[in-house]
């Protein structure tokens, strides 16, 4: 280029000014950097020019060397012959040529470069060239990966730092080739086989999407064909293959159709969930109407079946989606609230359900509920208030606050009665002078109401306290279960034991007093079953705690006509009872009694007889007389060894009778009310 410029200058007639300009321009042109793109373009198809670029790799000018290297890389495979020629001739630029040859990353040059590793002069450059070749070839794989390129890289560079990536990419390419080979719409089984064979690949992900899309297409057709249940199954299966697919609209269509089909059959438990899903996904006017109609229909059905809480919950839901139903819902509330309030007030079987329903109704229901629920709590029936308060925890703030105040007031009243009246007098309640007198039973009944209310309200109060309600500060421990209270009694614990924790003491007191009521029920319904547990005690129960222990054992057994009872002197008898007019008769018979009645055996039977006589004659006005017949075996008492009859006696006599235990034959004459025939 400079020579041509010189010839031009020498042959031209220029003015002195232009000569002066050229004098400064020529050195500047000579010093201008080489443009690699221009150099490559000029050398393309010109082996000599390429060879000249190869020689420039050894230039003393760094800029020229860099430009030459870049131009040769631009020329690519066209530069390989000239590069190899310089290497073979071991020209000064041979080492640099090796580096460029490696940087080209041409597969055909790798083996040649490897052959030079042991060359004394070029071995070091060859090793560097191989590193460059590895990186250059991997770049080709990364930019345009193919199965062939991946295989080529692994073959040429088995120890490549990219070998693992190459193997992964090869697996991707193999999987994709397998997917392409299946065609545009392969069967699902073939796609599933590909997924199993190539997990984690791009083909795996694509195959899953293809399966999902096919299932979604089937679901769409199923909706159109009137098979919404099939559509929902297909949509669910499709989401399993492709969770990213938005199926909301299709699900809404399917659920709407499914809900309408179920509603036409009045199958509200299927219709409502389907219509709810459809409404949430697409709350159109028709879906809103379908859902509100279903809520109203099920709500009325529930109300008419006595499920007031469920019915009003449905009506509230209907009102939430369709405010135009306000008058209908208000009228239904007004019509049914008086009956619900009355159920709570009278403590009927449905009192708890009615209380919950009044909370569900809303503010007007809560306002009507609170006074009657507090009245029930005051007489020991805390269930309506307690359960209503628990439901209110999940409601609005106003409802929660109103029930909290009522609960707090009732619990405070019960707590005052328990801690100032019942527990301080628990000894008298458990060991009264006449446990079955009307006065003692009234005292127990009153105490049981407060104890039951206290325990019934405790759990609800604890729930409010756990949510940080300052109006509630109850004890934090839970009442022991009945099985644990049995253990308390077995270890000698009594309600008047002040060392017991408060909750345990309240629970134990209620448990013992409740045992007295159970004993009364049993002596009226199955006295022999209760009596069988009294034989062998040695003495009648000394207090209501001991009566509770007897009742617990008796209640644990089955109901039978006769009870086998073991006697202290050995052998056993069959104990039974029958009501004859105003007389309660017990029969004790067995082979062990055929020869007579030993004093020890007689005493145990009398323990049972006197304990049940006192209980039965005190609490059952229909019974005027008790009899005990003791005899030998047989379908009837063929050999009577003893016959005892006892009529009503005055309460002080009972204390003397119980003190006499264990009983002897001679002492029985000291009881004037007792008619005894003994052999």
């Amino acid at each position: 280029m400079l020579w041509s410029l010189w010839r031009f200058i020498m042959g031209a007639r220029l003015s002195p000014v232009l000569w002066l300009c050229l004098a400064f321009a020529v050195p500047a042109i000579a010093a201008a950097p080489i443009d690699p793109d221009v150099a490559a373009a000029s050398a393309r198809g010109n082996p000599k020019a390429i060879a000249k670029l190869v020689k420039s790799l050894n230039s003393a000018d760094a800029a020229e060397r860099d430009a030459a290297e870049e131009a040769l890389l631009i020329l690519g495979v066209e530069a390989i012959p000239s590069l190899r020629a310089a290497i073979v001739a071991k020209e000064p630029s041979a080492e640099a040529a090796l580096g460029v040859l490696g940087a080209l990353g041409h597969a055909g040059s790798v083996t040649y470069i490897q052959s030079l590793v042991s060359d004394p002069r070029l071995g070091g450059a060859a090793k560097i060239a191989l590193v460059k070749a590895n990186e250059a070839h991997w770049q080709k794989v990364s930019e345009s990966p193919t199965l062939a390129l991946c295989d080529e890289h692994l073959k040429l560079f088995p120890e490549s730092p990219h070998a693992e990536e190459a193997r992964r990419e090869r697996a991707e390419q193999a999987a994709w080739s397998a997917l392409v080979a299946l065609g545009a719409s392969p069967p699902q089984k073939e796609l599933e086989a590909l997924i199993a064979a190539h997990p984690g690949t791009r083909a795996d992900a694509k195959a899953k999407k293809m399966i999902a899309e096919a299932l979604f297409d089937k679901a769409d057709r199923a909706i159109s064909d009137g098979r919404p249940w099939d559509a929902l199954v297909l949509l669910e299966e499709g989401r399993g293959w492709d969770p990213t697919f938005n199926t909301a609209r299709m699900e809404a269509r399917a659920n709407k159709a499914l809900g309408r089909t179920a509603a036409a059959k009045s199958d509200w438990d299927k219709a409502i969930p389907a219509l709810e899903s459809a409404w949430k996904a697409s709350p159109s006017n028709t879906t809103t109407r379908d859902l509100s109609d279903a809520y109203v229909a099920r709500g009325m059905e529930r109300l008419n079946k006595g499920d007031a809480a469920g019915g009003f919950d449905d009506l509230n839901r209907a009102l939430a989606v369709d405010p135009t139903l306000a008058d209908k819902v208000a009228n239904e509330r007004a019509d049914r609230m008086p009956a619900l309030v009355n159920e709570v007030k009278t403590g009927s079987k449905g009192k708890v359900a009615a209380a919950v329903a009044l909370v569900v109704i809303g503010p007007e229901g809560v306002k009507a509920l609170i006074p009657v629920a507090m009245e029930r709590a005051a007489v020991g029936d805390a269930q309506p208030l307690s359960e209503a308060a628990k439901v209110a925890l999940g409601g609005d703030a106003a409802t929660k606050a109103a029930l909290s105040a009522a609960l707090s007031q009732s619990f405070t009243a019960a707590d005052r009665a328990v801690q100032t009246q019942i527990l301080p007098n628990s000894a008298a309640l458990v060991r009264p002078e006449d446990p079955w007198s009307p006065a003692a039973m009234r005292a127990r009944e009153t105490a049981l109401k407060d104890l039951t209310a206290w325990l019934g309200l405790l759990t609800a109060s604890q729930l409010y306290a756990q949510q940080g309600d300052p109006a509630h500060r109850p004890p934090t421990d839970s009442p022991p279960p009945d099985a644990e209270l049995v253990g308390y009694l077995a270890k000698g614990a009594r309600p008047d034991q002040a060392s017991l924790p408060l909750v345990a003491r309240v629970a134990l007191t209620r448990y013992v007093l409740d045992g007295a009521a159970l004993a009364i029920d049993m002596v009226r319904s199955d006295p022999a079953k209760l009596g069988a547990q009294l034989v062998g005690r040695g003495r009648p129960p000394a207090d209501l705690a001991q009566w509770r222990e007897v009742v617990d054992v008796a209640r644990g057994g089955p109901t039978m006509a006769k009870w086998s009872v073991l006697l202290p002197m050995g052998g056993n008898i069959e104990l039974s009872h029958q009501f004859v007019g105003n007389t309660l008769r017990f029969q004790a018979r067995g082979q062990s009694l055929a020869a007579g009645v030993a004093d020890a055996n007689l005493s145990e039977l009398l323990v049972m007889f006197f304990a049940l006589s006192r209980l039965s004659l005190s609490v059952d006005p229909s019974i005027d007389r008790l009899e005990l017949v003791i005899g030998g075996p047989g379908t009837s008492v063929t050999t009577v060894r003893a016959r005892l009859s006892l009529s009503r006696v005055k309460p002080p006599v009972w204390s003397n009778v119980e003190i006499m235990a264990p009983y002897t034959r001679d002492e029985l004459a000291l009881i004037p009310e007792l008619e005894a025939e003994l052999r």
Side-chain angles (χ1 to χ4, degrees), residues 9 33-34 93 96 114 262 283 288 309 317 333 387 400 405 407 435 479 522 549 584 619 639 643 653:
I9 293 171
I34 302 173
S93 60
Q114 289 170 339
T288 299
R317 291 171 185 267
R333 290 171 178 170
E387 295 305 313
K400 181 179 174 182
L407 176 65
M522 288 196 73
E549 291 178 309
L584 171 58
V619 303
T639 307
R643 186 187 301 275
V653 174

Side-chain angles (χ1 to χ4, degrees), residues 171-196:
E172 290 280 2
Q173 295 301 318
W176 195 262
S177 297
L179 178 62
V180 171
L182 294 180
S185 302
Q188 182 171 332
K189 286 186 177 180
E190 292 185 8
L191 289 170
E192 288 177 0
L194 182 140
I195 290 166

Side-chain angles (χ1 to χ4, degrees), residues 345 373-382 445-446 448-450 452-453:
K345 186 173 184 177
M374 290 180 69
E375 286 176 12
R376 293 304 306 172
V379 296
D381 183 6
E445 184 179 351
T446 301
L448 270 172
K449 288 177 182 177
D450 288 323
T452 304

Side-chain angles (χ1 to χ4, degrees), residues 28 93 112 135 151 186 200 219 224 230 232 278 289 316 329 335 402 422 424 427 532 535 582 585 598 615 626 660:
S93 60
Y112 173 67
E135 293 301 319
D151 285 339
S224 301
D230 290 340
L232 289 171
R289 181 62 181 272
N316 289 346
V329 173
D335 289 344
I422 298 173
V535 177
N582 293 337
R585 179 179 298 155
L615 172 56
L626 271 83
M660 290 166 59

Side-chain angles (χ1 to χ4, degrees), residues 146-228:
T146 64
L147 189 60
L149 264 180
C150 292
D151 285 339
E152 187 176 78
H153 188 82
L154 291 169
K155 181 179 179 181
L156 292 174
F157 309 104
E159 304 298 326
S160 169
H162 307 292
E164 187 59 34
E165 293 175 85
R167 279 189 283 272
R168 282 200 298 269
E169 187 57 44
R170 187 194 185 285
E172 290 280 2
Q173 295 301 318
W176 195 262
S177 297
L179 178 62
V180 171
L182 294 180
S185 302
Q188 182 171 332
K189 286 186 177 180
E190 292 185 8
L191 289 170
E192 288 177 0
L194 182 140
I195 290 166
H198 304 282
T201 61
R202 292 188 293 273
D204 166 48
K206 177 63 176 176
K208 288 176 179 176
K209 283 187 175 293
M210 291 171 70
I211 292 174
E213 288 168 1
L215 290 169
F216 295 147
D217 287 342
K218 288 181 181 179
D220 189 53
R221 290 195 296 273
I223 296 171
S224 301
D225 294 343
R227 294 180 291 110

Side-chain angles (χ1 to χ4, degrees), residues 523-527 577-581 583-585 616 620 623:
V523 81
R524 288 171 172 168
S525 61
D526 196 351
H577 75 272
Q578 62 182 137
F579 292 97
V580 182
T583 298
L584 171 58
R585 179 179 298 155
S616 183
D620 193 344
I623 299 298

